[in-house]
Amino acid sequence: MAKSIISDMDGVIYRGKQLVPGAKDFVQRLLDTQTPFLFLTNNAEQTPLDLKLKLASLGIEGLTEANFITAAMATAMFLKNQNQKQHATAYVMGGGGLINELYNVGFSISESNPDYVVVAKCSSLSYEQLKKAVRFIDQGAKFIGTNPDMIDPVEGGLEPAAGTLLAAISAATGKKPYIVGKPNSLMMMLAARKLGAHPEECVMIGDRMDTDIVGGMEAGMGTILVLSGVTTPQLMTEFPYKPDYVFNTVGDIDLAAL
């Protein structure tokens, strides 16, 4: 059995406000077998507490905030390690989860010559925010993205995600963002470190070939693709790499066979 499980959430455990079939039983098996696990998500809008409460509202109990790592957390840790200024500032396009994590590592949120422009999925996006982000980057602010996902799976279909905002700002400024979240293996390594495991002792579960699977593979982890989110069987064949396992949903995964 894999010593540690690292699992994506969107498209794997739920789609929007609906649980993926079998997800509740899968999480219960993790708890019952005392398998070390983390939920690793490119979602930067919500805090670990938000995610814990969301899963509880969907019927998944027994989790703690320590069971989650978000792209917002990884981005804040990265910027804390990179920044040399005592009072660094950031202009943020994103939700409260991202702003909270940046506050936690000592950043101030500012619209006055910020050191960084940090962009995540933003459900309340306005054209004024786009204009400010472009202007600050043109003035020298460093361009950071929490994750590259172009779309997110939700009940009934798909919706634009952080990557669409990054693409618009990049087109306007001619500059590319540094992206912290998946598929950057940095985020995978942070998860393995939190579990106290070597990457080779971990299995990454996700629904995206271009983030979850390639990120896990490049970090040296085993990989499982589930077909409950973005990637279809046909789309999977278009990539020059493949996952170690493919299942319809996490409910089909036999932990003892990994």
Side-chain angles (χ1 to χ4, degrees):
M1 184 180 73
K3 292 184 179 179
S4 300
I5 296 292
I6 300 172
S7 177
D8 185 32
M9 299 184 71
D10 300 323
V12 177
I13 303 299
Y14 53 72
R15 291 181 64 104
K17 297 179 181 178
Q18 294 182 345
L19 273 184
V20 167
K24 181 177 180 179
D25 290 340
F26 172 71
V27 175
Q28 192 60 53
R29 290 201 304 274
L30 291 174
L31 294 170
D32 290 345
T33 58
Q34 298 184 341
T35 301
F37 70 94
L38 277 175
F39 289 117
L40 183 72
T41 175
N42 268 352
N43 184 322
E45 295 180 285
Q46 297 174 299
T47 66
L49 177 58
D50 293 331
L51 293 169
K52 172 181 175 292
L53 293 176
K54 176 174 181 174
L55 289 185
S57 73
L58 295 175
I60 296 179
E61 303 282 356
L63 302 177
T64 71
E65 293 176 55
N67 291 128
F68 302 91
I69 291 184
T70 69
M73 296 168 67
T75 299
M77 285 186 274
F78 168 76
L79 291 178
K80 178 183 179 182
N81 291 334
Q82 289 289 310
N83 179 62
Q84 301 298 319
K85 292 181 64 175
Q86 186 174 2
H87 301 292
T89 58
Y91 175 72
V92 176
M93 287 178 59
L98 177 56
I99 292 172
N100 183 65
E101 294 298 338
L102 289 170
Y103 275 137
N104 286 343
V105 297
F107 273 74
S108 297
I109 309 305
S110 175
E111 296 186 9
S112 177
N113 298 316
D115 300 302
Y116 297 92
V117 169
V118 185
V119 179
K121 182 177 178 180
C122 186
S123 57
S124 59
L125 174 69
S126 70
Y127 185 67
E128 188 64 27
Q129 288 177 297
L130 279 173
K131 287 198 301 182
K132 289 178 181 178
V134 169
R135 183 171 72 249
F136 295 147
I137 292 168
D138 283 341
Q139 292 172 348
K142 296 177 175 63
F143 186 15
I144 304 293
T146 58
N147 63 286
D149 303 28
M150 299 299 290
I151 53 175
D152 278 339
V154 296
E155 63 273 24
L158 304 168
E159 66 182 20
T164 59
L165 306 185
L166 295 172
I169 296 169
S170 184
T173 61
K175 297 181 179 178
K176 293 183 178 181
Y178 179 75
I179 297 174
V180 178
K182 298 175 293 182
N184 190 337
S185 57
L186 170 66
M187 194 168 176
M188 307 290 184
M189 302 302 286
L190 289 172
R193 189 180 306 160
K194 184 171 182 178
L195 287 170
H198 191 278
E200 292 181 355
E201 300 171 331
C202 300
V203 172
M204 177 68 209
I205 304 172
D207 69 311
R208 296 176 187 261
M209 289 291 291
D210 57 348
T211 56
D212 304 313
I213 302 306
V214 71
M217 180 185 69
E218 292 180 349
M221 299 178 179
T223 55
I224 295 176
L225 177 73
V226 291
L227 303 176
S228 51
V230 170
T231 303
T232 63
Q234 181 178 356
L235 182 60
M236 179 180 65
T237 65
E238 298 176 6
F239 290 85
Y241 50 87
K242 62 181 182 180
D244 295 308
Y245 304 92
V246 181
F247 295 100
N248 286 325
T249 74
V250 288
D252 299 327
I253 297 174
D254 181 358
L255 294 173
L258 297 180

